[in-house]
Amino acid sequence: MASVRYDHVTKQFSETVKAVNDLSLDIKDKEFLVLVGPSGCGKTTALRLLAGLEDITSGTISIGERVVNDIAPKDRDIAMVFQSYALYPHMSVYDNMAFGLKLRKMSKSDIDKRVKEAAGILGIVHLLDRKPKQLSGGQRQRVAVGRAIVREPKVFLFDEPLSNLDAKLRVETRAGISKLHQRLGTTFIYVTHDQTEAMTMASRIAVMKDGILQQIGTPSELYDHPGNMFVAGFIGSPSMNFFNAELAGSDGSMVFNAVTFKLPVPSDSREMLRSRSDEEYVIGIRPEDIYDASYPAPGIESAIMEAQVDVVEPMGSEIYLNLLSGENPFVARVDPRSRATSGNSVGLAFDVNKVHVFDKKTELAIR
């Protein structure tokens, strides 16, 4: 097993395009780290640099104690699972899984042992004689993972392996990959644009934007304490709501004035905000921390605003309200007993202790 280190790694494709910009990241031995971000953020390029499929412009990448910049991909002791699965269509499942081992000139008995053990772990023993065209998308994905397992690498790399699966199968398969990580006890590095995958699978998450690492932490750390507005808006579904606001009042009645509503400033933040010279802020609150005033959570006493209901989306155990406050659209996830209807107004209560505060100029978190 092995740790992985990116040390000031940059990948520049042209004078104007830096796919990865000065990335420094330490991935622990046996960790499940997820690189997440929107399309074009550099996460897949970072993975390909580690795999040796792209050349590094500057910086170093280490696997364990060994710098691998100039080491061929086949000698890095990694295995990669691609989005497209990359199976050989003319080979059986068994031969697809055994192919890399045959290239290493392993004995037939060792190959057979490894393939059947991996197939047993993944529940695909009954598929070993089939060709890829006879398999479903989920089965092909498991074969691709099995081909990686048989190599017994130090590090597993996953490049959006679930993106071709339907929603139900994605949920089942991500649980299977999490169990696989626990069983193998190997370092997993996983790339996805789906923050739900990141939140449910990762030991830690590294959020990227425009080739730059924005924040790294556990799922709960990123959810509860986002470092900037990008991370706050990217982590969580539906995403965080943002409102421009001014700070008003200088005593115990300090409030954020967001034009169409006002929020009292939590007592634990007043002293810190008093010491700042800023006049304008951005406040953020997650949809699950906004309540229909008729069904508030404990400690939420009264409505602090009225909003126009644009769309109601019943989800069974909860209701999503797409709302308008003036010209500002936002979302609330409320109790299923809510009587809110499209076109009407609804009273809302905010959990002020869950409000996030950001510097309007830098977009960095203040609270």
Side-chain angles (χ1 to χ4, degrees):
M1 306 307 107
S3 58
V4 172
R5 168 172 287 186
Y6 291 81
D7 189 7
H8 297 286
V9 172
T10 293
K11 174 61 179 178
Q12 189 156 349
F13 286 106
S14 68
E15 289 185 5
T16 58
V17 179
K18 280 187 180 179
V20 176
N21 190 353
D22 196 30
L23 175 63
S24 290
L25 182 61
D26 285 315
I27 302 164
K28 302 171 186 174
D29 182 28
K30 301 181 182 180
E31 184 171 23
F32 195 136
L33 182 113
V34 176
L35 286 166
V36 69
S39 297
C41 73
K43 57 188 184 295
T44 293
T45 301
L47 198 73
R48 289 174 64 84
L49 291 171
L50 174 58
L53 302 178
E54 299 283 354
D55 293 328
I56 297 170
T57 303
S58 62
T60 59
I61 294 179
S62 303
I63 299 176
E65 299 300 320
R66 184 174 64 157
V67 175
V68 296
N69 290 36
D70 300 320
I71 294 176
K74 66 183 179 65
D75 297 323
R76 295 192 180 197
D77 207 1
I78 55 94
M80 190 164 181
V81 179
F82 296 91
Q83 179 179 346
S84 62
Y85 314 136
L87 302 177
Y88 297 108
H90 62 288
M91 292 184 183
S92 67
V93 168
Y94 184 101
D95 288 335
N96 264 283
M97 293 173 64
F99 185 70
L101 303 182
K102 290 177 181 177
L103 291 179
R104 293 183 183 182
K105 302 189 183 303
M106 290 183 62
S107 68
K108 287 186 178 181
S109 60
D110 286 342
I111 291 173
D112 189 66
K113 179 182 178 183
R114 287 198 187 187
V115 169
K116 288 181 177 176
E117 282 182 353
I121 290 171
L122 296 166
I124 56 173
V125 173
H126 63 295
L127 304 176
L128 290 176
D129 294 329
R130 297 188 190 181
K131 299 287 179 65
K133 67 180 180 181
Q134 298 173 297
L135 307 178
S136 67
Q139 289 170 334
R140 291 179 191 179
Q141 193 269 346
R142 279 184 282 166
V143 174
V145 173
R147 185 175 55 190
I149 290 174
V150 297
R151 295 181 60 186
E152 298 182 358
K154 290 182 178 178
V155 182
F156 283 90
L157 309 181
F158 294 84
D159 185 13
E160 305 209 38
L162 309 187
S163 59
N164 292 332
L165 305 181
D166 61 52
K168 182 175 183 293
L169 196 53
R170 279 202 303 272
V171 173
E172 293 175 357
T173 308
R174 75 183 186 222
I177 292 176
S178 294
K179 289 178 182 176
L180 182 64
H181 174 254
Q182 295 169 10
R183 181 165 182 173
L184 297 179
T186 311
T187 307
F188 276 31
I189 303 175
Y190 187 105
V191 161
T192 182
H193 65 275
D194 186 335
Q195 59 90 21
T196 300
E197 282 182 29
M199 292 291 284
T200 54
M201 300 172 76
S203 309
R204 286 192 303 158
I205 300 171
V207 183
M208 295 186 69
K209 176 190 178 187
D210 298 332
I212 298 172
L213 178 64
Q214 300 291 307
Q215 188 175 355
I216 182 167
T218 65
S220 60
E221 285 170 348
L222 297 188
Y223 180 86
D224 294 329
H225 306 289
N228 58 40
M229 286 179 61
F230 176 78
V231 175
F234 194 83
I235 297 296
S237 181
S239 61
M240 184 181 288
N241 302 296
F242 297 107
F243 304 91
N244 291 323
E246 296 179 351
L247 195 61
S250 58
D251 53 19
S253 62
M254 287 177 71
V255 297
F256 285 115
N257 186 351
V259 183
T260 56
F261 65 95
K262 294 182 179 180
L263 279 179
V265 175
S267 57
D268 62 356
S269 299
R270 291 172 190 165
E271 194 64 38
M272 178 269 294
L273 290 170
R274 245 185 233 113
S275 66
R276 296 178 61 91
S277 58
D278 311 63
E279 295 182 356
E280 295 183 324
Y281 296 87
V282 175
I283 57 175
I285 188 162
R286 297 195 181 280
E288 51 269 36
D289 297 321
I290 305 175
Y291 302 88
D292 184 319
S294 300
Y295 304 99
I300 306 298
E301 296 181 359
S302 61
I304 55 99
M305 70 176 294
E306 291 278 327
Q308 188 77 14
V309 181
D310 190 23
V311 177
V312 178
E313 297 180 335
M315 301 292 287
S317 61
E318 58 202 6
I319 296 175
Y320 291 175
L321 302 181
N322 291 291
L323 303 145
L324 290 172
S325 172
E327 296 182 356
N328 196 45
F330 66 106
V331 177
R333 195 165 76 189
V334 300
D335 191 287
R337 295 172 294 175
S338 174
R339 302 296 177 86
T341 56
S342 299
N344 294 325
S345 62
V346 62
L348 299 173
F350 286 23
D351 185 345
V352 296
N353 291 312
K354 297 292 182 65
V355 171
H356 298 260
V357 184
F358 303 91
D359 185 297
K360 189 172 182 178
K361 294 178 181 177
T362 67
E363 297 190 353
L364 296 177
I366 298 170
R367 177 186 189 274

